[in-house]
Amino acid sequence: MNIDRYQLRPARPQDLPALEQLYRAAFPEEDLIGVVRDLSMEGIAAVSCAAWDADRIIGHVFFTGCTFEGTEGKPALLGPIAVEETYRRQGIGAALVQEGFRSLTADDVTEVFVLGDPALYGRYGFTPTPVATPYAIPDEWQPAWRSKTLGDASRAMSGTLLVPPAWQHGDLWSG
Ligand SMILES: CC(C)(COP(=O)(O)OP(=O)(O)OC[C@H]1O[C@@H](n2cnc3c(N)ncnc32)[C@H](O)[C@@H]1OP(=O)(O)O)[C@@H](O)C(=O)NCCC(=O)NCCS
């Protein structure tokens, strides 16, 4: 990322309209606005990091703190993430993810999970991992789970990922 030109800093509650616009444009066929609104409320997301071009948000990522049934450790869920179309392929997505990792590590999060395009998240250091959720997801999505351990890799978790209320909407998991 061209760090002289863009900056990374937390999104604030008043940035919600800009985030809605960003995610609507990035996911025209999916309705993510509900989860974007829920995660934008103060204290809900573990990380809400935006990339700024001067005073304009041109990229953003959320990470949400979760729990793992019966397992020690602090997991987080990555998503959604978006970069404005004209700003893509400059490393802004990668920089947002790295900034999230840095912030989560400082907060003792041990592993980050993501359900998304494996080709994309492989680029960001995620590897395949079996994850169960209490929500039914399409069978063809199951192999798309990826995770990235933060710090000591021996702390990798497995089991059922329990997500907070913002993510407890069946349509977010049903495709
Ligand atoms: C995914 C996204 C956030 C990446 O942002 P970015 O700033 O362009 O990311 P980076 O510059 O770090 O990396 C871009 C690279 O990832 C690749 N990439 C982007 N989406 C990809 C995907 N779904 N699968 C595989 N590779 C992908 C790009 O082709 C590019 O590679 P290249 O430079 O070798 O051509 C952005 O493309 C976006 O907002 N897409 C629409 C929303 C979306 O799909 N979010 C992820 C949902 S799973």
Side-chain angles (χ1 to χ4, degrees), residues 109-112 125-127 147-157:
V109 168
T110 49
E111 191 163 359
V112 179
F126 286 82
T127 53
S147 78
K148 161 91 176 140
T149 49
L150 302 178
D152 181 0
S154 68
R155 298 192 296 178
M157 297 173 244

Side-chain angles (χ1 to χ4, degrees), residues 27 81-83 88-94 117 119-121 123-124:
F27 294 92
I81 180 171
V83 171
R88 290 179 192 165
R89 302 183 66 184
Q90 302 179 55
I92 296 172
D117 194 322
L120 174 67
Y121 293 106
R123 301 174 67 109
Y124 297 159

Side-chain angles (χ1 to χ4, degrees), residues 18-30:
L19 297 189
E20 289 188 11
Q21 195 180 345
L22 176 74
Y23 284 106
R24 267 204 189 92
F27 294 92
E29 286 163 20
E30 285 177 62

